[in-house]
């Protein structure tokens, strides 16, 4: 098998393609590639790109995201497609790929031709930047430092909450069986770990107390799957554990879809699960899709798009929409961020690198 054949066999199965095309019957012509050598030249060539766009009947971009965003994007994408058609007279196809954030990151680095990535944590986007596919400074290209959705960690229990699990401290009690994914392999599980750590370290405790608490909690972990999807399956389908550490938005969406027979609590001290979006510069310049890709990412911050995120359980980053839906979410009295813990580079080295705190906690279980 040649290199090109190998790459093709990897890329195509990983795309769960959902082509959303507004209007039909228009001819299809080849896209004219637009190349930009630098941010300055990209800005200077906006007018030229707009002229090129108008000459084409159709444009395709690929969105690569993590699994739990799918329900929102399936509502948001048709709105963007309609808006672009009204304003530019051009049809847009948005191809979509969903999966675990870490797996999606590796796929993009290995050749999955994403124009836009919307991943579960900035650390994954940074890895794509470090691979040379995204230019530095992407955080400043959109509102809110490019953080497009927020969530928090929820404690999902069996129906009626028979173990009376309501706060972080309840997770350390004898006899409580916990399910969470492995922070070494799961982005969602890293958020869970940091929420446990911050429950002490950002609530008046010191680092020794935080480590002792997290160590005790992980002694109660009965299964440590590789990703959030497998941990949900262990809890729901296999009946393992008394409590599942989960994204609040995923709990809300599952309830909306009638998939759960559970209760959940949202601790008042919590971490802000901030998920960014970014244009993949190298790919959009290769495809000639920068204008539409940048417009799509900016559309995600509009009230229209933010309302769709909120409908499936994400906490909006748009302030006006946040006010509209604030009664639907439990109040967080003490919300902290990864930045408050030193930023992703510090957090990764301190907690999740080989031989770091998580490995030491695991070795003592």
């Amino acid at each position: 098998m040649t290199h090109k054949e190998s790459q093709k066999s990897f890329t195509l199965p990983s795309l769960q393609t959902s082509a959303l095309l507004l209007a039909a019957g228009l001819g299809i012509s080849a896209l004219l590639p637009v190349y930009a050598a630098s941010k300055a030249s990209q800005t200077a060539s906006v007018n030229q790109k707009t002229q090129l766009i108008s000459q084409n009947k159709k444009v395709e971009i690929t969105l690569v995201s993590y699994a739990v965003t799918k329900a929102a994007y399936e509502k948001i994408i048709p709105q963007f497609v309609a808006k672009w058609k009204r304003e530019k007279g051009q049809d847009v196809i948005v191809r979509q790929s969903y999966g675990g954030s870490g797996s999606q990151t590796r796929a993009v680095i290995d050749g999955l031709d994403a124009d836009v990535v919307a991943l579960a944590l900035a650390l994954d986007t940074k890895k794509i930047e470090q691979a040379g596919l995204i230019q530095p400074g992407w955080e400043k290209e959109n509102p809110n430092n490019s953080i497009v959705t927020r969530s928090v960690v929820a404690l999902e229990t069996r129906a009626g909450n028979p173990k009376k699990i309501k706060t972080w401290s309840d997770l350390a009690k004898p006899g409580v069986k916990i399910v969470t994914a492995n922070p070494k392999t799961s982005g969602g599980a890293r958020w869970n770990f940091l929420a446990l750590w911050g429950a002490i370290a950002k609530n008046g405790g010191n680092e020794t107390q935080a480590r002792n608490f997290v160590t005790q909690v992980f002694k109660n972990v009965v299964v440590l799957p590789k990703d959030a999807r497998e941990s949900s399956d262990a809890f729901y389908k296999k009946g393992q554990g008394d409590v599942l550490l989960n994204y609040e938005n995923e709990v809300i969406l599952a309830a909306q879809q009638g998939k759960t027979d559970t209760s959940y609590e949202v601790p008042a001290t919590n971490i802000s699960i901030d998920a960014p979006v970014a244009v993949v510069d190298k790919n959009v310049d290769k495809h000639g899709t920068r204008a539409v890709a940048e417009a799509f990412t900016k559309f995600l911050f509009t009230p229209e798009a933010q309302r769709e995120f909120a409908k499936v359980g994400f906490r909006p980053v748009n302030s006006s929409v946040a006010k509209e839906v604030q009664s639907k979410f439990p109040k967080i009295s003490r919300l902290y961020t990864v930045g408050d813990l030193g930023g992703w580079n510090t957090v990764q080295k301190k907690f999740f690198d080989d031989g770091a705190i998580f490995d030491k906690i695991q070795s003592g279980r």
Side-chain angles (χ1 to χ4, degrees):
M1 180 181 292
T2 68
H3 173 71
K4 289 185 177 179
E5 289 170 338
S6 174
Q7 185 180 53
K8 181 178 180 182
S9 67
F10 169 81
T11 301
L12 292 180
S14 65
L15 277 172
Q16 303 168 9
T17 303
S18 173
L20 300 175
L21 177 59
L22 184 73
L26 295 174
I28 299 173
S29 61
L31 291 175
L32 299 178
V34 178
Y35 296 91
S38 67
K39 289 292 182 184
S41 63
Q42 289 158 12
T43 302
S45 64
V46 167
N47 291 335
Q48 181 185 3
K49 291 175 185 175
T50 302
Q51 292 173 358
L52 289 171
I53 287 168
S54 66
Q55 297 170 13
N56 293 283
K57 302 289 185 172
K58 182 180 72 172
V59 62
E60 295 185 8
I61 61 172
T62 297
L63 166 68
V64 174
S65 189
Y66 60 110
V68 299
T69 63
K70 183 178 181 181
Y73 281 117
E74 287 182 340
K75 299 293 185 181
I76 292 169
I77 286 170
Q79 295 182 38
F80 171 75
V81 169
K83 182 176 186 292
W84 189 262
K85 178 69 172 180
R86 286 193 309 270
E87 296 178 356
K88 306 295 182 182
Q90 184 182 38
D91 297 309
V92 178
I93 294 174
V94 182
R95 302 192 182 276
Q96 301 154 67
S97 173
Y98 300 97
S101 186
S103 299
Q104 295 290 73
T105 301
R106 290 189 294 273
V108 172
I109 292 171
D110 289 342
L112 177 55
D113 242 2
D115 296 275
V116 177
V117 289
L119 300 169
L121 60 165
L123 183 65
D124 286 341
T125 311
K126 281 287 187 182
K127 289 178 181 177
I128 299 174
E129 176 191 326
Q130 290 163 3
L133 299 176
I134 296 176
Q135 294 182 15
W138 57 268
E139 300 95 333
K140 303 302 181 183
E141 293 181 1
N142 289 296
N144 200 47
N145 287 323
S146 289
I147 300 300
V148 72
T149 61
R150 286 198 176 105
S151 193
V152 292
V153 178
L155 310 180
E156 190 165 9
T157 68
R158 299 299 174 187
N161 195 3
K163 291 290 183 76
K164 308 300 180 187
I165 300 166
K166 294 184 176 295
T167 66
W168 295 117
S169 60
D170 292 331
L171 299 178
K173 292 179 178 178
V176 173
K177 298 177 181 178
I178 301 167
V179 177
T180 182
N182 190 333
K184 298 283 284 188
T185 56
S186 166
R190 289 177 191 173
W191 289 116
N192 293 344
F193 184 97
L194 297 176
L196 292 167
W197 187 271
I200 305 299
K202 292 300 174 182
N203 201 26
N206 58 41
E207 296 230 330
T208 299
Q209 291 169 325
R211 181 165 176 169
N212 290 340
F213 171 71
V214 176
T215 299
Q216 186 59 48
V217 169
F218 271 87
K219 287 181 180 179
N220 286 344
V221 171
V222 293
V223 58
L224 203 66
K226 69 178 182 180
D227 58 37
R229 185 61 57 206
E230 285 192 10
S231 64
S232 294
D233 287 345
F235 187 74
Y236 296 133
K237 297 179 180 180
K238 298 179 181 179
Q240 295 177 304
D242 302 309
V243 58
L244 170 68
L245 304 190
N246 205 354
Y247 290 132
E248 177 190 46
N249 59 278
E250 188 157 13
V251 178
I252 292 171
L253 179 61
Q256 290 174 354
Q257 296 174 338
K259 294 181 178 179
T260 64
D261 182 20
T262 60
S263 304
Y264 76 97
E265 299 285 340
V266 176
T269 297
N270 221 305
I271 191 165
S272 182
I273 298 175
D274 295 342
V277 64
V279 168
V280 184
D281 294 293
K282 187 172 183 178
N283 290 346
V284 298
D285 289 341
K286 177 176 67 176
H287 302 154
T289 54
R290 177 174 290 278
V292 67
E294 289 182 348
F296 176 69
T297 61
K298 286 178 171 53
F299 182 76
L300 300 179
F301 295 88
T302 64
E304 300 95 314
Q306 287 289 303
R307 288 188 186 101
E308 296 299 337
F309 283 124
K311 287 176 184 177
V312 297
F314 289 99
R315 295 181 177 229
V317 300
N318 179 284
S319 59
S320 62
V321 178
K323 289 179 181 178
E324 292 174 10
V325 301
Q326 61 184 355
S327 64
K328 297 181 180 180
F329 296 96
K331 186 176 180 180
I332 306 298
S333 60
R334 185 166 299 180
L335 186 69
Y336 58 94
T337 68
V338 167
D340 295 327
L341 296 172
W344 275 115
N345 289 338
T346 297
V347 162
Q348 177 65 31
K349 183 177 181 180
K350 179 177 179 178
F351 295 112
F352 307 123
D353 276 356
D354 291 344
I357 287 176
F358 177 73
D359 280 352
K360 291 176 180 176
I361 287 174
Q362 280 296 92
S363 67
R365 286 182 64 192

